[in-house]
């Protein structure tokens, strides 16, 4: 049915007006079958296309049998080009590959139309075709327009269906149709105006086509341009009823050349936009994979820290305690001269045990399992022996809404920020504050140190600690802000939502 309609569109204007051919669609349909279908299905679709074209021509042309050799030769010419440009069963949109688009334009916009136009010109006298049906330039432009307008529609639709591309919604189909109708009305109303108006109208239509392409895809843009070309040809033929054959030929040629310039410009913009869309999608997918990997690494890191802390507390520290008890027994059995030395060893062993306990606590703060985040942060401040002097300001009215994962992530962010203050800030004091309400938790770590240079504050080259802090904040769907303190120094602020919606944090 599609092939019959395409053949009717191709021949109706052509035969009714006795003017040069304006657009040929049947060959483009047959080429689309050769490009995108393989095996038995390709044979079925090719037969369907030929049957549709033959049925339409039989209904309009009683001398079809005389033209049958020309049709067979025409189809044979398409086969090697279809094989050369054939598309894989699945894969990315071919319109984003510059090499394939260049081959397509050279083959279907130059070589194939030139061969078909030459075939029509040579066979015209032998088949008794009227002179206006064998004009080489009009047949060349009609074939080139058919291929360059129709094949991208088929390729883009095939990508949507088979390669996971975005699907067309009814709204995306309706809006290009409205665009076509408005463009046709504008063309009819301004058809008697001067060359300046026509130029402005053409530029406006081209920009509208680009807008359609960016909003709804290449298939919608090329379909719009195809319908505009048909409408312009229809108007040109209708207005040429009282024109001479030479004037009709000039009118058709002008429309064809204008449409060819538009389709080549649109094709170039489609390649650029499709490549940009592909790069953006690839980057988004890579970011998503990196984010998932980072989240898993952080979880693995927490599990490993918990295991090491458990081993230090349950194994190493218990072993140290056992050695201390044995030293105490030995000290009681030795003369007084050696008891002092063993007492010193026991004291140092107690320091080692306390240090191991502190490391175990830093690796996995068990206080978070039995108390609030505010208590854990206050304990962290008290355990810090300075400099700088660390003060905690917190409240616990709605802290119960924090999940265990949020608590451990906020605690780790505080640890890393305090570590940076100690190493880099040269500060005398630092303040850690935590505030929560029904929707938002805000953690601030501020110091009065030298501050962070502005170029480093806005630089993308962050240290591993800052990257970890940002990743933990992202896991909580929050926002991390690095800014100057009110007087001097640096403030790290983390805002995380306490509800399911990320809008609660102002993201």
């Amino acid at each position: 049915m599609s092939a019959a309609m395409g053949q009717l569109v191709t021949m109706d204007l052509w035969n009714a007006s006795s003017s040069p051919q304006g657009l040929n669609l049947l060959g483009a349909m047959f080429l689309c079958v050769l490009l995108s279908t393989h095996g038995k299905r390709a044979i079925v679709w090719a037969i369907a296309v030929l049957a549709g074209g033959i049925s339409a021509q039989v209904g309009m042309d009683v001398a079809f049998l005389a033209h049958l050799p020309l049709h067979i030769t025409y189809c044979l010419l398409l086969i090697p080009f279809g094989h050369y440009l054939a598309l894989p069963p699945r894969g990315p949109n071919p319109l984003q590959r510059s090499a394939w688009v260049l081959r397509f334009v050279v083959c279907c916009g130059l070589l194939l139309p030139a061969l078909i136009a030459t075939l029509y010109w040579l066979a015209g006298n032998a088949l008794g075709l009227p002179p206006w049906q064998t004009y080489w330039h009009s047949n060349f432009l009609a074939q080139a327009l058919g291929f360059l307008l129709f094949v991208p529609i088929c390729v883009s639709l095939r990508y949507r269906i088979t390669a996971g591309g975005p699907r067309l919604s009814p709204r995306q189909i309706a809006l290009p149709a409205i665009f076509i109708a408005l463009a046709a009305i504008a063309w009819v109303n301004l058809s008697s105006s001067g060359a300046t108006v026509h130029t402005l109208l053409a530029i406006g239509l081209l920009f509208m086509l680009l807008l359609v392409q960016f909003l709804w895809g290449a298939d919608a843009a090329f379909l719009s341009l195809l319908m505009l070309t048909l409408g312009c040809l229809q108007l040109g033929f209708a207005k040429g009823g009282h024109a001479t054959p030479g004037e009709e030929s000039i009118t058709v040629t002008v429309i064809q050349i204008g449409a060819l310039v538009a389709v080549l410009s649109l094709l170039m913009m489609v390649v650029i936009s499709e490549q940009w869309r592909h790069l953006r999608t690839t980057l988004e997918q890579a970011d998503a994979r990196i984010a998932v990997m980072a989240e898993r690494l952080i979880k693995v890191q927490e599990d490993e820290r918990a295991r090491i802390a458990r081993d230090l507390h349950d194994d190493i520290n218990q072993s140290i305690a056992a050695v201390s008890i044995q030293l105490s027994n030995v000290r009681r059995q030795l003369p007084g001269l050696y008891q002092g030395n063993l007492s010193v060893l026991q004291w140092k062993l107690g320091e080692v045990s306390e240090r191991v306990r502190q490391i175990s606590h830093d690796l996995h703060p068990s206080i978070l399992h039995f108390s609030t985040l505010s208590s854990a942060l206050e304990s962290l401040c008290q355990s810090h022996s300075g400099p700088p002097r660390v003060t905690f300001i917190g409240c616990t009215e709605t802290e119960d809404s924090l999940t265990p994962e949020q608590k451990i992530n906020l605690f780790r962010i505080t640890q890393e920020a305090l570590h940076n203050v100690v190493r880099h800030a040269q500060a005398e004091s630092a303040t850690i504050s935590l505030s929560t309400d029904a929707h938002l938790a805000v953690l601030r770590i501020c110091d009065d140190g030298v501050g962070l240079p502005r170029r480093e504050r806005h630089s993308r080259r962050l240290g591993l600690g800052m990257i970890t802090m940002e990743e933990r904040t992202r896991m909580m769907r929050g926002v991390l802000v690095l800014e100057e303190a009110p007087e001097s120094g640096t403030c790290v602020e983390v805002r995380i939502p306490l509800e399911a919606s990320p809008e609660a944090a102002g993201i």
Side-chain angles (χ1 to χ4, degrees), residues 312-371:
L312 288 175
H313 183 271
D314 298 340
D315 188 6
I316 305 298
N317 226 8
Q318 296 300 326
S319 299
I320 293 175
V323 171
S324 179
I325 292 173
Q326 291 177 2
L327 284 177
S328 180
N329 294 332
V330 171
R331 181 170 58 85
R332 286 194 298 266
Q333 298 173 7
L334 292 177
L337 179 63
Y338 301 101
Q339 288 183 358
N341 294 332
L342 287 178
S343 296
V344 173
L345 288 177
Q346 275 190 292
W347 177 73
K348 290 187 176 294
L349 201 59
E351 285 188 336
V352 172
S353 177
E354 179 62 25
R355 181 59 180 158
V356 169
R357 189 195 65 80
Q358 183 61 42
I359 293 175
S360 174
H361 179 270
D362 292 341
L363 286 173
H364 188 68
S366 57
I367 190 174
L368 287 174
H369 295 287
F370 308 105
S371 184

Side-chain angles (χ1 to χ4, degrees), residues 276-343:
W276 173 78
R277 185 178 290 113
H278 174 69
L279 289 176
R280 185 185 65 179
T281 303
T282 303
L283 287 175
E284 289 176 352
Q285 292 174 349
D287 289 341
R289 288 195 297 267
I290 292 174
V292 171
M293 183 180 298
E295 185 173 350
R296 290 179 179 176
L297 287 175
I298 288 176
K299 290 182 178 179
V300 170
Q301 182 188 50
E302 288 298 331
D303 293 341
E304 187 66 14
R305 282 179 169 181
R307 185 190 65 81
I308 295 174
R310 190 167 52 250
D311 290 344
L312 288 175
H313 183 271
D314 298 340
D315 188 6
I316 305 298
N317 226 8
Q318 296 300 326
S319 299
I320 293 175
V323 171
S324 179
I325 292 173
Q326 291 177 2
L327 284 177
S328 180
N329 294 332
V330 171
R331 181 170 58 85
R332 286 194 298 266
Q333 298 173 7
L334 292 177
L337 179 63
Y338 301 101
Q339 288 183 358
N341 294 332
L342 287 178
S343 296

Side-chain angles (χ1 to χ4, degrees), residues 55-275:
S55 62
Q57 185 160 354
V58 168
M60 299 184 65
D61 188 3
V62 294
F64 171 73
L65 291 178
H67 298 168
L68 187 59
L70 180 61
H71 280 271
I72 295 175
T73 307
Y74 180 87
C75 294
L76 291 177
L77 279 176
L78 295 176
I79 293 176
F81 289 93
H83 179 74
Y84 177 64
L85 296 172
L87 305 174
R90 291 186 179 274
N93 190 350
L95 295 179
Q96 72 190 24
R97 295 183 296 180
S98 303
W100 187 89
V101 173
L102 180 60
R103 294 200 306 268
F104 166 69
V105 171
V106 172
C107 291
C108 297
L110 182 62
L111 298 180
L112 190 55
L115 290 175
I116 295 174
T118 304
L119 173 65
Y120 275 41
W121 179 71
L122 292 176
N125 293 330
L127 297 177
L129 295 177
W132 45 269
Q133 291 189 7
T134 60
Y135 289 157
W136 191 93
H137 69 279
S138 64
N139 284 319
F140 172 82
L141 292 173
Q143 296 290 335
L145 276 178
F147 290 126
L148 295 179
L149 280 172
F150 194 83
V151 174
I153 298 174
C154 176
V155 169
S156 185
L157 285 175
R158 177 177 176 272
Y159 166 69
R160 287 183 186 270
I161 296 171
T162 63
R167 301 302 177 95
L168 278 175
S169 64
R171 180 177 61 86
Q172 291 173 321
I173 298 174
L175 290 176
I178 296 174
F179 158 74
I180 295 168
L182 293 176
I185 293 172
W187 187 271
V188 171
N189 293 332
L190 298 175
S191 59
S192 59
S193 303
T196 303
V197 175
H198 277 275
T199 302
L200 295 175
L201 179 62
I203 295 174
L205 290 177
L206 184 58
F207 276 106
M208 291 180 69
L209 284 172
L210 295 179
L211 180 62
V212 170
Q213 191 273 321
F214 278 110
L215 291 179
W216 303 298
D219 41 11
F222 278 102
L223 179 61
S224 301
L225 184 55
L226 174 62
M227 300 304 293
L228 281 173
T229 304
L230 289 172
C232 292
L233 287 172
Q234 176 65 47
L235 288 173
F237 289 140
K239 292 176 180 289
H242 303 289
T244 65
E247 292 175 343
E248 280 192 356
S249 177
I250 293 174
T251 301
V252 173
T253 302
V254 168
I255 295 174
Q256 288 174 323
I257 293 176
L260 194 61
V261 171
V263 73
L264 290 176
S265 302
L266 181 61
L267 191 60
M268 180 179 66
M269 293 302 300
V270 165
V271 173
I272 295 173
S273 64
E274 289 295 331
Q275 289 180 348

